[in-house]
Amino acid sequence: MSTPLTAEPLPASDTAPVWITPAFIAAAVFVACWGGAIVWWRASARVPATSEWMLLLFGLPVALLLAGFIGHKWIAQRSTAVQADALPATPARPASAATRPVQAQHLAILATALRAPQGASAEELAAAIADNEARPDLDRELVDDDGFPVLCARCEDAYDEALREDVTDWLAAHGGNDANFSDEQWRALTLASSVVAELAGRAAIEWTVRDDAMPGLQVLPLLPADWSERQRDAAAAWLRHAAAQAGWRGEIGAAMCGTDPVTDITAAGAAPGVTLVVAAASHVSEATVARWASEQVLFTSAQPQGMMPGEGAAGMLLGSAVLAGASDGQAVALLAPLAEVQVAEPADGRRRDAERVLARLVERTLADAGADADGVAMIVADTGHRSRPVYELMEYAATTMRQLDGSEDIVRVGASSGACGVVPFVTALVLGAYYAGVRRAPVLCLANEMPGRRIATVVHPVD
């Protein structure tokens, strides 16, 4: 039985440019000083000298603004220090290789697969990102309230009528014909089925070639929070069947939908056999566009901090780190333990201590992974187009990992995938495994788009 996910609150929008408030404050100070100077001049019985005019009209307001700026900075730094000290203590960095975390804490990434709007593999998506072609486009079907096309990240292979008929017939034969999937849910299930079939099929061939007995398989779907428990159970049962159809001849445990990427991916390391984690979601429909528009969270020219409809699926075949030591190089990468921190999102959507919070989280993550900040070759994050997460990510990288090039070494998956739940983060892990193999160096994977939390981990190449 699956456990329903808890719905995440929509992020607060912030459409005003950041310079508006400081500009108004500066204008108010100058108006007040100039008005006071005029009143003083009329009330006095003499004409002020030029030096007095310069002091009153320019020197006084500049001095007030400078004093206010210094005071604001001092108060912000004190507040940042207090909030940062409230975070969990960061473990001391290991002094030597002998004190580093045991490698068994890592998970072996045995295979990866994805279905993104800009590619059906990590190689294709990475190439699109390198060519600056991985971005949402004006949709040919979806329009906003004003009749203008909506920026959307649509997967062309998310619609498969034959698969829908197969799923419907199979569910009817196994007592699950009352799932009543919506069009969005069908699209997500189609993408997830493709990822599961690819991962299970490739792994089955590799185990057969090695003439090894296939281990037990656990299918773990990560589905959107608004799916009902009946729909989640039906989808999980079908995906388990899809893995068997793809050629997996080992035991396949009862599929259960996960509730949290950190908890469930971590649990995969303790489970016997291997775990197939697949995240899938779709927000590409007229109903979602209408709902987001009514709630004023849809991306438009007047709402630049809104959300763009997106869809996709990403999956990994995970096993214990023992599998990474196989003589034939079974693992493609190693996934370090995932770490997270809960954060309180302010009403205005801004966090002045965001960079420090992220720095403390990453420092703890690197220590757990036995990695050094100077050795990180790339950052892959679920960050999208909204200014607050982008600024948080780029400010952290610029101040802490100065060896990284902002245009080539920092990848924002959410900027290409649109809004589709936890799919961008799992896609970041898939891309992290790909980049770690290409760069032969650790890759830092981050999540800072999920409301109220930040997640970090490190993907290592296999030596």
Side-chain angles (χ1 to χ4, degrees):
M1 183 69 67
S2 63
T3 303
L5 289 171
T6 303
E8 295 180 345
L10 291 173
S13 62
D14 181 17
T15 59
V18 295
W19 54 265
I20 287 293
T21 300
F24 274 120
I25 294 175
V29 171
F30 272 92
V31 169
C33 291
W34 290 1
I38 293 174
V39 171
W40 173 74
W41 170 48
R42 290 187 174 182
S44 64
R46 66 184 183 84
V47 177
T50 302
S51 60
E52 293 176 319
W53 277 123
M54 295 297 293
L55 178 64
L56 291 174
L57 296 182
F58 298 100
L60 181 59
V62 170
L64 291 175
L65 289 174
L66 182 60
F69 175 78
I70 295 175
H72 173 74
K73 282 291 186 181
W74 181 81
I75 294 174
Q77 289 177 357
R78 291 293 300 272
S79 175
T80 297
V82 171
Q83 295 184 20
D85 291 340
L87 290 174
T90 302
R93 293 299 295 270
S96 64
T99 60
R100 290 188 177 184
V102 180
Q103 192 70 9
Q105 293 179 350
H106 292 62
L107 293 177
I109 302 178
L110 306 178
T112 63
L114 61 82
R115 297 294 182 270
Q118 296 83 20
S121 67
E123 293 81 359
E124 291 182 10
L125 180 56
I129 292 173
D131 295 337
N132 198 27
E133 296 177 353
R135 56 184 178 272
D137 201 356
L138 295 176
D139 197 77
R140 61 182 181 276
E141 299 179 15
L142 304 180
V143 296
D144 59 20
D145 292 340
D146 297 323
F148 294 109
V150 172
L151 278 173
C152 175
R154 178 190 292 268
C155 290
E156 295 300 330
D157 52 354
Y159 180 82
D160 190 332
E161 184 63 33
L163 179 66
R164 294 190 182 189
E165 294 179 359
D166 292 341
V167 175
T168 301
D169 293 342
W170 187 87
L171 291 177
H174 293 80
N177 59 340
D178 54 352
N180 296 322
F181 293 120
S182 66
D183 184 65
E184 283 183 337
Q185 292 169 333
W186 275 118
R187 296 177 68 86
L189 186 58
T190 299
L191 296 172
S193 300
S194 182
V195 168
V196 169
E198 178 180 341
L199 287 175
R202 283 166 47 192
I205 293 175
E206 291 179 5
W207 255 285
T208 301
V209 170
R210 289 196 304 267
D211 197 22
D212 291 340
M214 291 187 186
L217 176 68
Q218 181 73 36
V219 179
L220 175 62
L222 300 175
L223 301 174
D226 57 359
W227 289 39
S228 69
E229 185 173 359
R230 183 171 299 171
Q231 291 167 337
R232 296 166 67 81
D233 287 341
W238 164 257
L239 294 176
R240 176 179 180 271
H241 174 68
Q245 278 191 318
W248 192 271
R249 296 294 177 259
E251 179 183 358
I252 302 179
M256 297 180 63
C257 287
T259 59
D260 178 80
V262 175
T263 302
D264 293 299
I265 290 178
T266 301
V274 295
T275 301
L276 196 162
V277 178
V278 56
S282 175
H283 294 307
V284 178
S285 73
E286 295 179 356
T288 292
V289 170
R291 185 176 73 255
W292 287 1
S294 66
E295 296 172 353
Q296 296 184 344
V297 295
L298 178 68
F299 176 88
T300 62
S301 58
Q303 187 78 17
Q305 301 299 315
M307 298 188 297
M308 300 179 188
E311 61 186 359
M316 301 180 294
L317 194 65
L318 302 175
S320 66
V322 176
L323 294 174
S327 59
D328 54 3
Q330 187 173 352
V332 298
L334 292 176
L335 179 65
L338 278 69
E340 69 172 322
V341 62
Q342 302 295 324
V343 294
E345 298 293 348
D348 62 358
R350 299 187 182 95
R351 282 189 60 88
R352 292 174 176 82
D353 64 333
E355 179 269 335
R356 188 178 181 91
V357 170
L358 197 61
R360 290 287 295 271
L361 173 64
V362 174
E363 183 180 0
R364 179 165 47 123
T365 302
L366 292 174
D368 293 341
D372 296 321
D374 294 340
V376 173
M378 292 187 68
I379 296 178
V380 186
D382 70 343
T383 312
H385 68 282
R386 297 186 302 127
S387 58
R388 191 272 301 163
V390 172
Y391 179 78
E392 176 184 355
L393 174 66
M394 302 307 291
E395 183 181 26
Y396 163 75
T399 57
T400 308
M401 295 188 176
R402 300 181 180 179
Q403 76 273 17
L404 302 183
D405 185 297
S407 60
E408 296 182 359
D409 301 330
I410 301 178
V411 174
R412 296 186 290 116
V413 175
S416 62
S417 66
C420 48
V422 301
V423 174
F425 176 59
V426 180
T427 301
L429 298 180
V430 172
L431 282 177
Y434 169 77
Y435 287 126
V438 172
R439 300 282 186 102
R440 306 306 304 169
V443 174
L444 176 65
C445 298
L446 299 173
N448 71 336
E449 283 283 355
M450 301 180 190
R453 65 194 306 196
R454 303 291 181 267
I455 305 173
T457 186
V458 178
V459 179
H460 296 269
V462 177
D463 297 330

